[in-house]
Amino acid sequence: MSRSRTARLMVAAAAAAIATATALTPTAANAAVTLPPTHAKFDYQIGGAYTPPAGVQVVTRDRTASPAAGLYNICYVNAFQVQPGEQSQWESDLLLRDSAGRLVIDEDWGEPLLDIRGAKAARVAAKVNGWIDGCATKGYKAIEPDNYDSYERSKNLITTAQARTYLKLLADHAHVKNLAIAQKNTVDLAQYRTTVGLDFAVAEECGQYNECGDYVDYFGNNVIVIEYTNTGRTRACSGFGSTLSIVQRDVDVSTPGTSGYVRKTC
């Protein structure tokens, strides 16, 4: 499970202005999907499902969990990296390797990167789209494909164009299943949201790194914010508490009753 790691690159002002004009206009691709309600009470439960706190309207849970009854549910899928313990479920040649044949690893989370270059993108997408099918069958309304920014950790082996091409395969499939699909982090690629086919944003630590406004430029108020520090939450709430869905969680997104559990809102 990835988290925001460093402050992102500044997005060009001209590109942001163009995106603002298009961000609020639904595309033909997403016309059949239902977006999460904006400025809704939100809970991020990818570390384990539990009864949502009172008033919560939107919940994100891991694809292996069942949706929360009566709420808008987003299905978390680790789409660009291998979830811990699942490496044996992947064909060896679909794991990204450097020139010496070593696996390229996201060191923060111990997750091998998936090789989404060239023809391999379709093979990786076929497996992940199977997970998306499972989310649809369970009753989820949207998909959160994580680690769009894995190219930053790929030792320059994966390009941003390859990341976008692969994610479009997932977005097209999600829309066929009448599921909305989020852009997870990676604000420097938000200018491509329409061509990739992304419907809303899930932004980790945009308050911490002063990026929430950049997401709003491209996605309007269809932005869900997750912060991991009091400082980040305070900044996000100060600037966007009346318009965006904002929650602070602990980095391990643990469950209530455990020692590290944190959940705060504006």
Side-chain angles (χ1 to χ4, degrees):
M1 293 174 283
S2 80
R3 305 287 178 269
S4 294
R5 292 154 179 90
T6 58
R8 307 299 186 203
L9 300 174
M10 294 299 294
V11 180
I18 294 171
T20 301
T22 60
L24 305 182
T25 303
T27 64
N30 68 21
V33 308
T34 302
L35 297 182
T38 59
H39 190 222
K41 294 186 182 299
F42 172 73
D43 200 15
Y44 203 46
Q45 299 188 2
I46 65 173
Y50 52 87
T51 301
V56 165
Q57 300 163 271
V58 181
V59 172
T60 294
R61 289 180 171 176
D62 187 78
R63 65 179 176 83
T64 59
S66 297
L71 305 183
Y72 186 102
N73 287 267
I74 302 169
C75 191
Y76 172 94
V77 174
N78 196 346
F80 288 77
Q81 300 182 177
V82 179
Q83 199 80 333
E86 295 185 358
Q87 183 172 325
S88 63
Q89 299 177 21
W90 287 93
E91 295 180 64
S92 179
D93 72 314
L94 295 182
L95 305 179
L96 186 67
R97 298 177 186 274
D98 63 20
S99 58
R102 296 182 294 258
L103 289 175
V104 179
I105 304 289
D106 175 349
E107 299 295 345
D108 285 343
W109 299 97
E111 298 178 355
L113 273 62
L114 293 166
D115 192 343
I116 56 171
R117 299 173 297 178
K120 291 183 180 181
R123 293 171 56 202
V124 175
K127 186 176 183 69
V128 175
N129 282 338
W131 298 341
I132 290 174
D133 291 345
C135 295
T137 298
K138 288 182 175 181
Y140 283 93
K141 295 296 184 183
I143 303 297
E144 179 191 320
D146 201 6
N147 291 304
Y148 189 19
D149 61 353
S150 65
Y151 63 87
E152 297 179 348
R153 302 179 288 281
S154 73
K155 299 182 178 180
N156 296 317
L157 295 173
I158 295 173
T159 67
T160 59
Q162 289 166 336
R164 299 195 312 268
T165 296
Y166 165 68
L167 187 54
K168 182 171 175 20
L169 296 176
L170 305 186
D172 289 348
H173 188 81
H175 290 149
V176 168
K177 296 294 181 177
N178 296 324
L179 297 171
I181 186 167
Q183 171 165 320
K184 176 70 174 292
N185 299 329
T186 328
V187 70
D188 35 323
L189 297 189
Q191 63 187 297
Y192 302 105
R193 62 148 298 203
T194 300
T195 56
V196 176
L198 303 172
D199 303 305
F200 66 103
V202 175
E204 289 176 303
E205 300 195 283
C206 69
Q208 184 74 22
Y209 295 116
N210 297 310
E211 295 175 342
C212 297
D214 295 330
Y215 286 99
V216 171
D217 284 341
Y218 293 102
F219 292 91
N221 291 340
N222 295 119
V223 180
I224 294 172
V225 177
I226 303 125
E227 298 293 335
Y228 298 108
T229 66
N230 289 323
T231 298
R233 174 177 51 83
T234 299
R235 288 177 182 169
C237 290
S238 176
F240 302 92
S242 64
T243 54
L244 304 185
S245 301
I246 301 171
V247 72
Q248 179 183 343
R249 290 298 328 270
D250 54 287
V251 174
D252 292 327
V253 282
S254 55
T255 57
T258 58
S259 59
Y261 175 76
V262 173
R263 183 182 184 273
K264 301 177 183 178
T265 58
C266 295

